[in-house]
């Protein structure tokens, strides 16, 4: 009989293994058996907990989004400055847990899957809306609403584009480089609106 409390641990192990396996393959062309092997459990147990690979993929995306949201909530609680809140959003977006090679590859695989899976597409839309909402909320305290919307879209596009660039692995970026690039773009866009007192 299974030990009490093992199910959550095994579920987490399978989710983590799915992320590593999908990331290392760079696609969802993996089997439950491969993921289960990576997690150190049987394929039968993986099917028992998740039913199908699709449900395990959904759980993996939910786990990534939950981690991202938790990190962002913590980062935003540390400051009341609108400009520093923008920096927090950027910093969390390129956190080491999210921007390592395997996780970036997994994110790209999930975006490809979103073209045929409505559930995956819905989860990724939630992520993009939250990102833009967090950016726009802080930006509206620094510039007019139309400019806030425009700049939020630009910053979000920078983040997405740097993930795609990282996935190519031609000249991998560290965690600091994408933060600096995005901050430089943001500073340039905010320059007409910011006074000397509002610095990141």
């Amino acid at each position: 009989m299974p030990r009490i409390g093992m199910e959550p641990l095994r579920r987490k192990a399978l989710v983590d293994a799915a992320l590593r396996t999908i990331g290392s393959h760079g696609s969802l062309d993996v089997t439950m058996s491969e993921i289960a092997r990576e997690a150190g459990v049987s394929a039968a147990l993986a099917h028992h907990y998740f039913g199908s690979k699709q449900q395990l993929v959904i759980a993996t995306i939910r786990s990534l989004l939950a981690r991202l949201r938790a990190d962002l909530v913590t980062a935003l609680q540390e400051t009341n400055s609108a400009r520093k809140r923008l920096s927090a959003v950027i910093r969390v977006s390129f956190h080491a847990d999210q921007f390592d090679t395997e996780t970036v590859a997994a994110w790209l695989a999930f975006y490809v899957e979103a073209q045929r899976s409505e559930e995956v597409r819905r989860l990724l839309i939630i992520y993009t809306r939250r990102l833009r909402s967090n950016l726009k909320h802080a930006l509206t305290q620094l510039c007019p609403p139309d400019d806030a919307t425009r700049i939020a879209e630009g910053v979000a596009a920078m983040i997405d584009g740097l993930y795609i660039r990282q996935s190519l692995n031609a000249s991998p970026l560290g965690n600091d480089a994408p933060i600096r690039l995005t901050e430089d773009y943001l500073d340039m866009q905010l320059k007409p609106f910011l006074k000397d007192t509002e610095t990141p």
Side-chain angles (χ1 to χ4, degrees):
M1 294 181 65
R3 286 179 290 171
I4 294 173
M6 285 302 293
E7 181 173 344
L9 295 176
R10 284 176 174 158
R11 282 180 174 274
K12 184 180 185 307
L14 282 162
V15 165
D16 291 345
L19 184 60
R20 290 193 302 272
T21 307
I22 293 166
S24 64
H25 281 71
S27 76
L28 296 184
D29 188 22
V30 298
T31 66
M32 281 289 263
S33 294
E34 290 173 307
I35 295 170
R37 190 181 312 116
E38 175 70 21
V41 302
S42 69
L45 194 62
H47 280 285
H48 170 72
Y49 285 143
F50 291 99
S52 68
K53 188 181 80 174
Q54 179 71 4
Q55 289 309 305
L56 178 51
V57 167
I58 296 297
T60 303
I61 297 171
R62 288 185 185 279
S63 175
L64 269 177
L65 294 178
R67 190 191 315 164
L68 191 62
R69 187 174 187 182
D71 288 346
L72 185 56
V73 167
T74 299
L76 292 178
Q77 287 174 342
E78 296 174 356
T79 180
N80 291 321
S81 160
R83 180 62 183 85
K84 288 180 180 178
R85 289 171 72 86
L86 289 166
S87 290
V89 174
I90 293 167
R91 188 171 65 253
V92 168
S93 295
F94 295 111
H95 190 276
D97 286 349
Q98 297 286 341
F99 205 61
D100 68 73
T101 303
E102 285 187 351
T103 306
V104 168
W107 272 116
L108 268 289
F110 296 146
Y111 271 93
V112 171
E113 180 65 12
Q115 307 307 306
R116 53 178 174 261
S117 167
E118 186 58 33
E119 193 168 6
V120 172
R121 182 174 178 273
R122 183 178 61 81
L123 288 173
L124 295 179
I125 286 174
I126 289 171
Y127 155 70
T128 58
R129 285 177 177 169
R130 281 180 184 162
L131 174 61
R132 285 163 175 77
S133 176
N134 284 317
L135 291 168
K136 189 174 176 181
H137 177 73
L139 283 162
T140 52
Q141 299 173 54
L142 302 172
C143 58
D146 287 348
D147 291 293
T149 299
R150 174 180 57 80
I151 297 170
E153 288 295 330
V155 172
M158 283 279 294
I159 292 170
D160 291 343
L162 286 164
Y163 266 77
I164 293 171
R165 181 176 172 184
Q166 183 77 345
S167 73
L168 297 176
N169 209 28
S171 54
L173 299 167
N175 294 91
D176 292 338
I179 292 173
R180 288 196 306 271
L181 287 167
T182 311
E183 287 280 4
D184 286 348
Y185 170 81
L186 185 56
D187 284 340
M188 180 179 65
Q189 294 299 316
L190 286 175
K191 191 173 182 180
F193 309 105
L194 289 185
K195 298 186 184 299
D196 293 337
T197 55
E198 191 64 72
T199 55

